[in-house]
Amino acid sequence: VGWQVGASGFQKMSTPPFWLLVFIQLLSVIGDTFAQRVSRVHHKQCKAHMLLSLTLCSSSMVFVILTGVQLLAPHEITSVVYLDRVKKLCCDESDDPVLPTDPLVTSGGCTRRPCPSQGPLSVPWFLARHPPLLLNGVLNIAYYVSEVCLYEEPLGLVLIVMAALASTFLLQPIGSALGVPGTHPIPLPL
């Protein structure tokens, strides 16, 4: 169950239809099956070639799709910044978005401006301002190396699909149990 903004604040959304979940899992299985076939036949079990092709192919697809979303989606969607379900504001006087309760806003010292659009084209700006984001690359390296190793195993495809399916259902409860912020869906502006 997700949340959406309604006339009287946040309202529960209905769950997605079951056929949509099955369709998304089917797409995942098709992609993983193709990747395992490519690993075994085309790359002849060469882990280095498989790792390079998997990384370049998936990175380029994600870059193209997310850049299209960043450029074509309305600015009200790609520039929204939330913290604990409260929409943050962008001010000329601050480089970072601030909450409406921030002293800069409440004192009247905030000249509001539209927040910058977020997506692949703004990644260099975010990395320059927040270098620890580069640590995500370390996790991606470990993920891709593990995925390539699993594709070489006979049951690797089954394990990858089961892990993806299980993570769908486990992330929310585990995040909530550990008190991880951001485990609740962010409402989109209507």
Side-chain angles (χ1 to χ4, degrees), residues 3 7 10 23 29 38-39 50 75 79 81 88 101 107 109 152 167 175:
W3 294 89
F10 291 105
F23 177 72
V29 169
V38 167
S39 170
M50 180 62 184
H75 188 74
S79 65
V81 180
K88 294 177 97 178
T101 55
S107 68
E152 291 185 347
S167 69

mmCIF file of all heavy atoms in Angstrom, residues 3 7 10 23 29 38-39 50 75 79 81 88 101 107 109 152 167 175:
data_model
loop_
_atom_site.group_PDB
_atom_site.id
_atom_site.type_symbol
_atom_site.label_atom_id
_atom_site.label_comp_id
_atom_site.label_asym_id
_atom_site.label_seq_id
_atom_site.Cartn_x
_atom_site.Cartn_y
_atom_site.Cartn_z
ATOM 1 N N TRP A 3 1.203 5.707 -0.686
ATOM 2 C CA TRP A 3 0.537 6.930 -0.243
ATOM 3 C C TRP A 3 0.478 7.901 -1.397
ATOM 4 O O TRP A 3 1.373 7.953 -2.223
ATOM 5 C CB TRP A 3 1.316 7.550 0.914
ATOM 6 C CG TRP A 3 1.307 6.702 2.124
ATOM 7 C CD1 TRP A 3 2.213 5.718 2.430
ATOM 8 C CD2 TRP A 3 0.363 6.711 3.178
ATOM 9 N NE1 TRP A 3 1.888 5.114 3.614
ATOM 10 C CE2 TRP A 3 0.753 5.713 4.108
ATOM 11 C CE3 TRP A 3 -0.767 7.459 3.446
ATOM 12 C CZ2 TRP A 3 0.049 5.459 5.259
ATOM 13 C CZ3 TRP A 3 -1.460 7.190 4.612
ATOM 14 C CH2 TRP A 3 -1.058 6.205 5.503
ATOM 15 N N ALA A 7 -6.935 15.684 -1.368
ATOM 16 C CA ALA A 7 -7.461 16.961 -0.895
ATOM 17 C C ALA A 7 -7.323 17.101 0.614
ATOM 18 O O ALA A 7 -7.147 18.197 1.134
ATOM 19 C CB ALA A 7 -8.922 17.097 -1.315
ATOM 20 N N PHE A 10 -2.398 13.116 3.064
ATOM 21 C CA PHE A 10 -1.955 11.831 2.530
ATOM 22 C C PHE A 10 -3.083 10.817 2.617
ATOM 23 O O PHE A 10 -3.761 10.704 3.627
ATOM 24 C CB PHE A 10 -0.737 11.317 3.292
ATOM 25 C CG PHE A 10 0.499 12.121 3.045
ATOM 26 C CD1 PHE A 10 0.974 12.992 3.995
ATOM 27 C CD2 PHE A 10 1.171 12.003 1.853
ATOM 28 C CE1 PHE A 10 2.108 13.727 3.763
ATOM 29 C CE2 PHE A 10 2.314 12.730 1.611
ATOM 30 C CZ PHE A 10 2.781 13.600 2.567
ATOM 31 N N PHE A 23 3.895 -9.406 -14.578
ATOM 32 C CA PHE A 23 4.526 -8.912 -15.803
ATOM 33 C C PHE A 23 5.938 -8.390 -15.537
ATOM 34 O O PHE A 23 6.878 -8.704 -16.277
ATOM 35 C CB PHE A 23 3.657 -7.816 -16.431
ATOM 36 C CG PHE A 23 4.252 -7.197 -17.662
ATOM 37 C CD1 PHE A 23 4.316 -7.901 -18.859
ATOM 38 C CD2 PHE A 23 4.772 -5.910 -17.627
ATOM 39 C CE1 PHE A 23 4.872 -7.343 -19.987
ATOM 40 C CE2 PHE A 23 5.326 -5.337 -18.753
ATOM 41 C CZ PHE A 23 5.381 -6.050 -19.941
ATOM 42 N N VAL A 29 12.843 -12.093 -15.398
ATOM 43 C CA VAL A 29 13.278 -13.449 -15.729
ATOM 44 C C VAL A 29 13.817 -13.505 -17.159
ATOM 45 O O VAL A 29 14.856 -14.126 -17.420
ATOM 46 C CB VAL A 29 12.112 -14.458 -15.549
ATOM 47 C CG1 VAL A 29 12.456 -15.811 -16.137
ATOM 48 C CG2 VAL A 29 11.779 -14.595 -14.080
ATOM 49 N N VAL A 38 24.027 -15.270 -22.674
ATOM 50 C CA VAL A 38 25.167 -14.501 -23.185
ATOM 51 C C VAL A 38 26.445 -14.907 -22.466
ATOM 52 O O VAL A 38 27.500 -15.072 -23.077
ATOM 53 C CB VAL A 38 24.910 -12.980 -23.035
ATOM 54 C CG1 VAL A 38 26.171 -12.177 -23.250
ATOM 55 C CG2 VAL A 38 23.831 -12.539 -24.003
ATOM 56 N N SER A 39 26.352 -15.107 -21.166
ATOM 57 C CA SER A 39 27.520 -15.498 -20.384
ATOM 58 C C SER A 39 28.077 -16.842 -20.831
ATOM 59 O O SER A 39 29.283 -17.002 -20.992
ATOM 60 C CB SER A 39 27.150 -15.562 -18.903
ATOM 61 O OG SER A 39 28.171 -16.151 -18.154
ATOM 62 N N MET A 50 32.266 -10.777 -19.598
ATOM 63 C CA MET A 50 30.876 -10.717 -19.142
ATOM 64 C C MET A 50 30.665 -9.532 -18.219
ATOM 65 O O MET A 50 29.680 -8.809 -18.333
ATOM 66 C CB MET A 50 30.501 -12.024 -18.439
ATOM 67 C CG MET A 50 29.097 -12.062 -17.922
ATOM 68 S SD MET A 50 27.884 -11.916 -19.236
ATOM 69 C CE MET A 50 26.398 -11.864 -18.277
ATOM 70 N N HIS A 75 8.935 19.514 -14.715
ATOM 71 C CA HIS A 75 9.917 19.986 -13.731
ATOM 72 C C HIS A 75 9.398 19.796 -12.304
ATOM 73 O O HIS A 75 10.175 19.597 -11.379
ATOM 74 C CB HIS A 75 10.250 21.458 -13.997
ATOM 75 C CG HIS A 75 11.378 21.971 -13.170
ATOM 76 N ND1 HIS A 75 12.683 21.620 -13.415
ATOM 77 C CD2 HIS A 75 11.401 22.769 -12.077
ATOM 78 C CE1 HIS A 75 13.466 22.199 -12.516
ATOM 79 N NE2 HIS A 75 12.702 22.900 -11.699
ATOM 80 N N SER A 79 12.167 17.822 -9.843
ATOM 81 C CA SER A 79 12.880 18.737 -8.950
ATOM 82 C C SER A 79 12.382 18.681 -7.511
ATOM 83 O O SER A 79 12.856 19.429 -6.671
ATOM 84 C CB SER A 79 12.729 20.168 -9.466
ATOM 85 O OG SER A 79 11.369 20.569 -9.399
ATOM 86 N N VAL A 81 12.064 17.634 -3.723
ATOM 87 C CA VAL A 81 12.944 17.073 -2.694
ATOM 88 C C VAL A 81 12.121 16.938 -1.420
ATOM 89 O O VAL A 81 11.519 17.914 -0.964
ATOM 90 C CB VAL A 81 14.163 17.986 -2.430
ATOM 91 C CG1 VAL A 81 15.056 17.390 -1.357
ATOM 92 C CG2 VAL A 81 14.933 18.226 -3.709
ATOM 93 N N LYS A 88 10.761 19.992 0.659
ATOM 94 C CA LYS A 88 11.768 21.007 0.958
ATOM 95 C C LYS A 88 11.700 22.132 -0.073
ATOM 96 O O LYS A 88 11.207 21.940 -1.177
ATOM 97 C CB LYS A 88 13.160 20.375 0.969
ATOM 98 C CG LYS A 88 13.349 19.369 2.097
ATOM 99 C CD LYS A 88 14.686 18.716 2.046
ATOM 100 C CE LYS A 88 15.622 19.423 2.984
ATOM 101 N NZ LYS A 88 16.955 18.807 3.018
ATOM 102 N N THR A 101 10.207 24.791 7.863
ATOM 103 C CA THR A 101 10.378 25.232 9.246
ATOM 104 C C THR A 101 11.785 25.763 9.520
ATOM 105 O O THR A 101 12.086 26.153 10.640
ATOM 106 C CB THR A 101 10.091 24.065 10.203
ATOM 107 O OG1 THR A 101 10.934 22.962 9.849
ATOM 108 C CG2 THR A 101 8.630 23.637 10.112
ATOM 109 N N SER A 107 12.209 33.299 8.948
ATOM 110 C CA SER A 107 12.620 34.690 9.179
ATOM 111 C C SER A 107 12.375 35.565 7.955
ATOM 112 O O SER A 107 12.586 36.776 8.000
ATOM 113 C CB SER A 107 14.107 34.746 9.555
ATOM 114 O OG SER A 107 14.894 34.379 8.425
ATOM 115 N N GLY A 109 14.017 35.303 5.146
ATOM 116 C CA GLY A 109 15.262 35.498 4.420
ATOM 117 C C GLY A 109 15.441 34.552 3.248
ATOM 118 O O GLY A 109 16.541 34.420 2.715
ATOM 119 N N GLU A 152 27.265 -17.911 -14.041
ATOM 120 C CA GLU A 152 28.035 -19.064 -14.499
ATOM 121 C C GLU A 152 27.595 -20.363 -13.833
ATOM 122 O O GLU A 152 27.952 -21.438 -14.302
ATOM 123 C CB GLU A 152 29.520 -18.821 -14.240
ATOM 124 C CG GLU A 152 30.086 -17.734 -15.118
ATOM 125 C CD GLU A 152 31.573 -17.565 -14.945
ATOM 126 O OE1 GLU A 152 32.133 -18.115 -13.981
ATOM 127 O OE2 GLU A 152 32.175 -16.882 -15.777
ATOM 128 N N SER A 167 13.648 -9.583 -2.269
ATOM 129 C CA SER A 167 13.989 -8.217 -1.847
ATOM 130 C C SER A 167 12.802 -7.277 -1.995
ATOM 131 O O SER A 167 12.641 -6.341 -1.214
ATOM 132 C CB SER A 167 15.178 -7.699 -2.644
ATOM 133 O OG SER A 167 14.812 -7.488 -3.995
ATOM 134 N N GLY A 175 13.581 -2.299 6.560
ATOM 135 C CA GLY A 175 13.881 -0.878 6.731
ATOM 136 C C GLY A 175 13.089 -0.257 7.857
ATOM 137 O O GLY A 175 13.617 0.526 8.651
#
